[in-house]
Amino acid sequence: MPTHVFPAARFTAATAPGGLPLLGHAPAFARRPLAFVAGLPAHGDLVRLRLGPLDAYVACHPELVRRLLAEDRTYDKGGLVLDRAREVLGDGLATCPAAAHRRQRRMLQPAFHRDRLPGYAAMMAEEIAGTTASWRDGDTIDVPAAMYRLTTAVTARCLFAAHERAGSLPVHESMDVITRGVGRRVMMPLPGVDRIPTPGNRRFRRARQDLREITERLIADYRAVGTDHGDLLSMLLGARDEDGQGLSDAEIHDHVVTFLLAGMETTAATLSWAWTLLAANPSVRARLHTELDTVLDGRPARHEDLPALPLTARIVSETLRLYPPVWILSRTVTTATELGGHRVPAGATILFSPYLLHRRADLFPCPDRFDPDRWLTTARPAPGTYAPFGLGARRCIGETFGTTEAALAIATIAARWTITPTPGRPVRPTRSSSLSPRPFTAALARRSR
Ligand code: HEM
C-alpha cells in the first residue's frame, strides 16, 4: 500500500497536448474519458485542459488533491461537473457551497452516526433477501439492472421505513431517469442543450416533478405522525441547528433527492463491478466462499457478522479502487491562489479524479490487477492516494452506509449464488459522470456447499 510522504517538492504544471482549435480537448475527453484522464499524470502534476470555451486544471498528484480538498472555501463546490448536478440537487449537502455546508453537515451527521447503522443494516438485509428471492438456478439476469433495483430498494427503505412498501415506492422509475439524465448533462460541457424540449429532456423534467410530489407527500405524512421510525427521513425531520432551528420542507426535499442520487447508483455500480471481478478471479472467489461458508453457514449476512468477514471488506475496497463510481469531480476557485506553486485564477475549474489516482502505478503496483490482498497491510494509504469517497470536509457522509450495504449484499449473495457474466462480451463502462458498467447479462448458479 502506498505510504509515501510527499516532500515539499516542486510540482510540475503543463498543458495537455493534442488540443484542437475551438474544441480543445473536449473531443478526446468525450471519446475515451477514462483513458484520457488516466494518461494526464504523464504530462505533469497539474495539467491544464481546454474543454470548448472552458479552461480547466486537473490535479493529478495526490498531494495536490489533498490540498485541494483540505481548503474547501478556496476550492468550493462548483465548476463543470458540480454546476450541472446542482440543477437537480439544489442546495442539498453534496452540492451546497462551503458557506452553507458546516451547518448542514452538523445537522445531518447524526443520521449517519454509527449507532444508527445496525438499524439500517437490518433493513438492508431484508431488502437484499427480498430482491434475490425471485432468483432461480440457471436464470440469466441483467446484472447492473438487478443491482440498481437492489440499492434502490435499500435506499428507499432506509429513507422511508414507515412507508408500507418503501421498496416499491415509485421513486425507482423517476430516480432512474434522473440519475441517467444528470450523468449525461454533467458530461455535456455545453450549457443550454438540456433546455431543448427533446423527449429525453421532457422525461427528465417530468421525473423531477414526480419525485418532488412523492417526497412532499411523505414529508407531510411523517410530520403528521411525528415519531422516529429509525430511518433517514425521521432524522431529517428531527435535525436541529445550534439555534434549535429545523430544516424546511424544501431543504428536506433536496437532502432526500441527494441521498437517493448519491447512494443508489454508486453502490449499485460497486456491486456490479464486484461480480465481474470475482468471476474473472476464481481463486479470490473460492477464498470468499470459504470465508462465507465458515462465518455464515448458509444464512444471510447481518451487521454483526461484518468484523468476521475481512476478505469481503477487502473486496469492497479493491473494487472501489479499480472502479470508483464517482470517478471525476470538480471544484471552482473562489479567490486567485496557488496550487503546488502554480497560480490558478479565480473562477477556474479544477478537476480531480479518484480513478486517475487509483490507476497510478507509482501509488498502486500493478494498478490494473484485482488484488484484494493489497489491503492486508495495516498502513493507511497516504492522504490523496485512495479517495473513492473524497476527502476533507466534503467527504462522503454515506461511506459507512454504502460499504455496509455493499459488504452485506456481496456476502449474502455470494454465499448462495455464483454470478457468471455471459462469455465473449467484455463489460465496459458507460460514458457518464459515474463509473457504472453498461448493461450486461450473467448466469446465476445456486451454490451447493
Ligand atoms: C459506494 C458508495 C458511495 C460512493 C463511492 C460515494 C462517493 C462519494 C464521493 C466521492 C463524495 C465526495 C464528493 C465531492 O467531494 O465533491 C460523496 C459525497 C456524498 N455522498 Fe457519497 N458515496 C457513496 C454512497 C453514499 C450513500 C449511500 C449516501 C447516502 C445515503 C451518500 C451520500 C453522500 C452525500 C450526502 C455527500 C455529500 C457530503 C458533503 O458534501 O458533506 N453517498 N460520496
Side-chain angles (χ1 to χ4, degrees):
M1 267 308 88
T3 51
H4 312 264
V5 174
F6 301 110
R10 287 173 50 79
F11 295 98
T12 56
T15 297
L20 300 172
L22 292 175
L23 297 171
H25 302 92
F29 180 68
R31 214 171 22 245
R32 298 181 61 219
L34 294 168
F36 177 77
V37 165
L40 294 176
H43 307 300
D45 298 324
L46 185 66
V47 177
R48 189 171 177 175
L49 299 181
R50 266 192 313 108
L51 298 169
L54 289 171
D55 260 346
Y57 300 80
V58 185
C60 297
H61 193 286
E63 174 58 15
L64 298 190
V65 172
R66 189 195 65 74
R67 291 183 195 178
L68 176 72
L69 298 180
E71 295 167 31
D72 64 322
R73 285 181 190 268
T74 310
Y75 305 105
D76 206 348
K77 287 267 174 157
L80 197 57
V81 176
L82 252 300
D83 286 349
R84 315 317 299 284
R86 195 174 270 153
E87 289 169 17
V88 176
L89 300 176
D91 270 337
L93 190 63
T95 37
C96 68
H101 181 253
R102 296 281 189 284
R103 169 181 175 268
Q104 292 208 16
R105 180 87 186 204
R106 261 201 297 270
M107 287 178 85
L108 299 189
Q109 199 69 54
F112 292 90
H113 191 271
R114 82 182 115 71
D115 293 351
R116 306 287 291 187
L117 250 289
Y120 298 145
M123 296 189 234
M124 291 172 186
E126 273 182 34
E127 295 301 328
I128 294 163
T131 308
T132 53
S134 60
W135 290 4
R136 298 283 169 263
D137 196 24
D139 275 359
T140 297
I141 57 165
D142 174 338
V143 175
M147 294 304 113
Y148 192 71
R149 262 198 308 281
L150 190 155
T151 59
T152 310
V154 166
T155 316
R157 174 78 186 276
C158 292
L159 264 166
F160 315 122
H163 191 275
E164 231 171 289
R165 292 171 59 235
S168 58
L169 272 172
V171 292
H172 290 225
E173 224 171 283
S174 6
M175 280 314 296
D176 197 28
V177 178
I178 292 173
T179 331
R180 279 163 229 291
V182 172
R184 263 199 316 274
R185 279 162 169 72
V186 164
M187 295 306 284
M188 194 120 58
L190 302 175
V193 179
D194 48 317
R195 281 192 282 276
I196 304 168
T198 59
N201 284 339
R202 272 204 295 270
R203 237 190 343 269
F204 181 71
R205 265 198 296 276
R206 201 171 327 115
R208 283 177 59 184
Q209 185 55 31
D210 288 350
L211 192 63
R212 179 168 294 279
E213 282 164 17
I214 297 168
T215 52
E216 276 168 3
R217 214 180 56 230
L218 286 163
I219 293 169
D221 287 356
Y222 269 54
R223 281 209 198 279
V225 178
T227 41
D228 180 358
H229 300 290
D231 58 3
L232 289 165
L233 183 54
S234 303
M235 293 303 285
L236 291 175
L237 288 161
R240 294 288 174 271
D241 65 12
E242 289 101 356
D243 306 324
Q245 197 75 38
L247 296 163
S248 70
D249 283 8
E251 285 175 316
I252 293 177
H253 170 269
D254 286 352
H255 293 313
V256 165
V257 179
T258 298
F259 292 164
L260 285 168
L261 196 71
M264 286 160 40
E265 174 101 348
T266 46
T267 317
T270 308
L271 289 172
S272 300
W273 289 119
W275 300 124
T276 69
L277 291 165
L278 287 169
N281 294 274
S283 63
V284 177
R285 184 158 77 179
R287 284 170 50 215
L288 173 66
H289 287 158
T290 306
E291 175 171 286
L292 299 175
D293 293 348
T294 310
V295 176
L296 303 179
D297 198 18
R299 64 170 170 76
R302 296 190 290 250
H303 187 249
E304 57 271 29
D305 296 321
L306 295 179
L309 299 173
L311 177 58
T312 310
R314 292 202 302 277
I315 289 169
V316 174
S317 301
E318 182 67 347
T319 304
L320 287 166
R321 185 187 67 80
L322 281 170
Y323 297 105
V326 182
W327 75 276
I328 192 157
L329 281 158
S330 68
R331 293 292 190 267
T332 189
V333 179
T334 53
T335 40
T337 184
E338 59 87 22
L339 185 57
H342 301 281
R343 286 202 63 73
V344 280
T349 290
I350 311 230
L351 298 166
F352 68 98
S353 162
Y355 180 87
L356 173 162
L357 296 166
H358 298 175
R359 298 281 181 140
R360 280 185 65 142
D362 56 339
L363 302 178
F364 296 95
C366 305
D368 297 338
R369 204 175 76 212
F370 176 63
D371 177 15
D373 291 345
R374 68 171 84 232
W375 298 100
L376 271 173
T377 163
T378 48
R380 290 161 71 86
T385 51
Y386 180 69
F389 295 100
L391 294 169
R394 309 305 294 253
R395 189 182 178 119
C396 180
I397 202 171
E399 174 172 349
T400 314
F401 185 108
T403 48
T404 300
E405 180 182 357
L408 288 176
I410 290 174
T412 297
I413 296 173
R416 295 188 179 180
W417 301 94
T418 49
I419 298 181
T420 309
T422 309
R425 290 185 220 146
V427 177
R428 275 199 274 270
T430 52
R431 219 175 294 165
S432 163
S433 60
S434 81
L435 180 47
S436 303
R438 293 186 196 195
F440 70 93
T441 54
L444 294 176
R446 193 185 289 278
R447 276 191 67 227
S448 55
R449 292 192 296 133

